[in-house]
Amino acid sequence: MQRVLDKWLGVMPPPNGDAPDRMDGDHRRNPRRRGEELKNAILAAALDELAEAGYAGLTMERVAARARTGKAALYRRWPNRAELVVEACTVHRLSDVDMPDTGALRTDVIAALRQLCANLATSHGDILRGLLAESMHDPELAQLVRERVHTAGPGAIQGVLLRAVARGEIEPWIPASRRATVAVDLLRNYYFLHGAPIPEGVITEIVDDVYLPLLLAPPGALPNTGSGQAPNGTPGDI
């Protein structure tokens, strides 16, 4: 009889009519996750924290709480927040896509830059912009960003240039040269300074006034930019 009474009492609601407090924020009451499932949940939580609080406000405690796990699960994989953030941005990075072959170098490049603009206009673009700003004050973070984080574009541009080589539009040495990523560098620098959306006119100016003349110039020669100076560009990674 007591067992029956206990069972009956167990299903009755508390006197105040509220459901029992299940402490949703307590990871111990959540289903146990392991391996890739837990890792992906933590990385997604890190990106959410970056979008909400920025790198300056991100802590391992906040990420653990958002992922509904313990801090120990984070520190077993990442020794500090810089390592965690960089891996989150790398795993969930803006991905290069295979661009359609328009049949000409100019229109291929414009299509690739438009895709890059669309990617940078997402929340991930905002995260990367903030991450770069923080890296100016954090040498460890800056080194990790330079080594591991890509902001999308170089892969697509490489495909465009290889097709142009096959069509005989540019010389075979161009895709491996520093000239190859100048268009992406200039567009990305514009974004970091001015944000999104990037005007269409900026794309066409980069392509027609700087990039195509640079790609078509012989080795050692630079196009005339009107100021007597060569356009600045750095390799494709940040």
Side-chain angles (χ1 to χ4, degrees):
M1 177 62 72
Q2 184 63 47
R3 288 197 300 269
V4 173
L5 181 61
D6 290 344
K7 181 178 180 181
W8 180 80
L9 289 174
V11 299
M12 291 295 290
N16 62 6
D18 294 331
D21 181 8
R22 294 189 177 276
M23 299 178 64
D24 288 339
D26 188 346
H27 69 88
R28 292 170 298 181
R29 293 179 177 267
N30 290 297
R32 189 167 183 82
R33 297 161 296 171
R34 298 178 182 275
E36 288 300 310
E37 181 184 7
L38 176 58
K39 178 180 177 180
N40 290 335
I42 294 171
L43 294 177
L47 287 180
D48 289 342
E49 282 295 314
L50 279 173
E52 182 177 301
Y55 183 77
L58 182 145
T59 65
M60 300 293 261
E61 290 82 359
R62 286 175 61 103
V63 173
R66 187 181 286 267
R68 297 189 175 184
T69 188
K71 286 191 300 181
L74 277 65
Y75 282 110
R76 280 196 297 268
R77 294 168 172 83
W78 304 279
N80 52 56
R81 64 174 184 159
E83 292 276 357
L84 169 60
V85 165
V86 167
E87 182 163 351
C89 289
T90 301
V91 171
H92 297 277
R93 69 181 182 270
L94 301 174
S95 59
D96 293 323
V97 297
D98 292 330
M99 302 305 301
D101 186 350
T102 68
L105 174 61
R106 180 181 183 274
T107 49
D108 274 3
V109 172
I110 288 176
L113 295 187
R114 283 174 178 163
Q115 180 62 50
L116 175 56
C117 288
N119 288 341
L120 291 175
T122 67
S123 60
H124 200 152
D126 292 338
I127 289 173
L128 289 169
R129 191 180 185 194
L131 200 59
L132 278 181
E134 290 295 334
S135 69
M136 296 177 63
H137 311 289
D138 188 329
E140 181 182 19
L141 176 63
Q143 181 176 353
L144 290 172
V145 169
R146 284 194 301 268
E147 291 175 352
R148 304 184 197 174
V149 179
H150 303 265
T151 58
I157 286 292
Q158 281 292 316
V160 166
L161 296 181
L162 291 174
R163 289 202 299 264
V165 169
R167 289 193 296 259
E169 293 180 277
I170 59 174
E171 296 295 326
W173 57 269
I174 290 289
S177 73
R178 288 178 60 85
R179 302 186 188 192
T181 61
V182 167
V184 172
D185 298 331
L186 292 177
L187 193 71
R188 196 165 42 206
N189 290 343
Y190 182 96
Y191 168 76
F192 291 145
L193 290 174
H194 304 286
I198 298 176
E200 180 73 13
V202 171
I203 295 177
T204 56
E205 286 177 2
I206 289 174
V207 173
D208 293 336
D209 297 345
V210 179
Y211 196 49
L212 290 183
L214 185 61
L215 295 184
L216 299 175
L222 293 173
N224 183 3
T225 63
S227 63
Q229 298 179 347
N232 289 327
T234 56
D237 299 346
I238 301 175

